[in-house]
Amino acid sequence: MYLKYGSPVKMMESYIAVLTKGICQSEENGSFLSKDFDARKAYLAGSIKDIVSQFGMETVILHTALMLKKRIVVYHPKIEAVQEFTRTLPALVWHRQDWTILHSYVHLNAEELEALQVCTGYIAGFVDSEVSNRTELYDVFVNLADSEITIAPLAKEAMTMGKLHKEMGQLIVQSAEDPEKSDSQVIQDISIKTKEIFTNLAPFSEVSGDGEKLVLNFEALKQRRFPPATENFLYHLAAAEQMLKI
């Protein structure tokens, strides 16, 4: 287009047409329709089944960390491995449809780390092994090269595992190991189970004093006498969802 018209104006017109109308037409290439390129297909580009194949029941640590909006750091010396793995992780919390938490290639320099630490929860990919010693950057550290997941000491209390997590882990593994199921079906199974967890939280939610949002009634949660790990997890989940009374 630039060669034809010698001006960036025509290019800008096409760009704005896609942005505003979702369509761009050109004589040489026909029509481009943005609706033909569903963003969800990009979200499904990685493989949940591959992650479960590598980490098994420990995949539930990643699911829990994402549910609680914790900071996950992923290390592998090869950038391709880091990017493929990290881009798949948000699918574990499919109900959020949030890939903005993804920072798939971060360097250990002050400027990038400063930008990262402004975020409340994130998935950050590194190719520098030194990141394993930077414990202030993560709640969960994934050494992809060695297939190891480590929970940082300060995050252990919030990440205490119980019956709820065991059930979720078993569902993730069973679904992912089913040869008949595609990655999207595995994601759907995890998403349904995840919604059940939010259903557990619903009876202990009430409208806040200003009537604007749901907040957790902690006393009601305590009276239910869940196992300690479940009560602890639901409390931290409410905190992640900004449901605590201020």
Side-chain angles (χ1 to χ4, degrees):
M1 197 173 280
Y2 185 73
L3 287 172
K4 186 174 180 181
Y5 296 103
S7 161
V9 174
K10 284 284 183 187
M11 293 163 65
M12 198 64 188
E13 283 175 359
S14 296
Y15 172 75
I16 290 169
V18 171
L19 209 60
T20 57
K21 299 175 185 171
I23 186 168
C24 165
Q25 291 173 311
S26 76
E27 291 167 17
E28 294 82 3
N29 296 322
S31 297
F32 168 86
L33 297 170
S34 55
K35 68 178 173 67
D36 291 342
F37 300 88
D38 190 338
R40 286 172 299 181
K41 287 183 182 174
Y43 295 162
L44 289 165
S47 173
I48 286 282
K49 297 186 87 159
D50 286 352
I51 290 176
V52 180
S53 172
Q54 184 170 1
F55 289 103
M57 276 291 283
E58 285 200 319
T59 308
V60 79
I61 298 173
L62 301 172
H63 177 266
T64 304
L66 288 161
M67 286 283 281
L68 300 181
K69 298 183 181 177
K70 296 295 183 186
R71 302 164 305 157
I72 301 173
V73 161
V74 178
Y75 160 74
H76 194 285
K78 292 182 179 174
I79 184 58
E80 296 87 356
V82 171
Q83 290 184 324
E84 185 174 348
F85 184 86
T86 54
R87 74 167 296 163
T88 310
L89 288 183
L92 285 169
V93 282
W94 184 257
H95 65 284
R96 288 204 183 117
Q97 295 281 295
D98 186 7
W99 265 253
T100 63
I101 60 172
L102 194 55
H103 306 261
S104 57
Y105 189 20
V106 185
H107 299 84
L108 287 172
N109 64 47
E111 196 175 309
E112 289 189 36
L113 296 182
E114 201 175 305
L116 189 64
Q117 287 174 299
V118 171
C119 310
T120 46
Y122 52 74
I123 301 161
F126 292 81
V127 294
D128 186 342
S129 60
E130 172 59 25
V131 71
S132 65
N133 300 317
R134 302 293 294 272
T135 52
E136 77 281 6
L137 294 176
Y138 60 81
D139 300 306
V140 173
F141 179 73
V142 183
N143 185 329
L144 206 50
D146 293 339
S147 299
E148 290 177 352
I149 299 177
T150 308
I151 301 172
L154 288 174
K156 282 189 174 173
E157 189 263 332
M159 296 278 295
T160 304
M161 300 286 161
K163 181 172 176 280
L164 190 73
H165 302 89
K166 187 180 179 182
E167 288 173 0
M168 178 55 103
Q170 287 170 337
L171 174 121
I172 291 171
V173 170
Q174 284 168 7
S175 181
E177 287 180 348
D178 186 340
E180 300 295 315
K181 288 188 175 178
S182 65
D183 277 291
S184 60
Q185 286 170 316
V186 175
I187 288 166
Q188 191 175 15
D189 287 347
I190 296 169
S191 183
I192 290 166
K193 187 71 176 173
T194 300
K195 282 172 184 168
E196 284 178 21
I197 294 171
F198 281 103
T199 305
N200 279 336
L201 203 54
F204 316 110
S205 308
E206 58 189 25
V207 179
S208 61
D210 56 17
E212 283 191 6
K213 64 173 189 174
L214 287 175
V215 293
L216 177 72
N217 182 331
F218 188 55
E219 282 309 309
L221 177 62
K222 283 181 81 71
Q223 284 169 16
R224 177 64 174 75
R225 297 188 182 279
F226 279 116
T230 301
E231 182 186 294
N232 179 61
F233 173 69
L234 292 174
Y235 174 79
H236 283 96
L237 179 60
E241 297 291 329
Q242 298 180 317
M243 289 173 64
L244 297 188
K245 292 175 185 174
I246 298 168

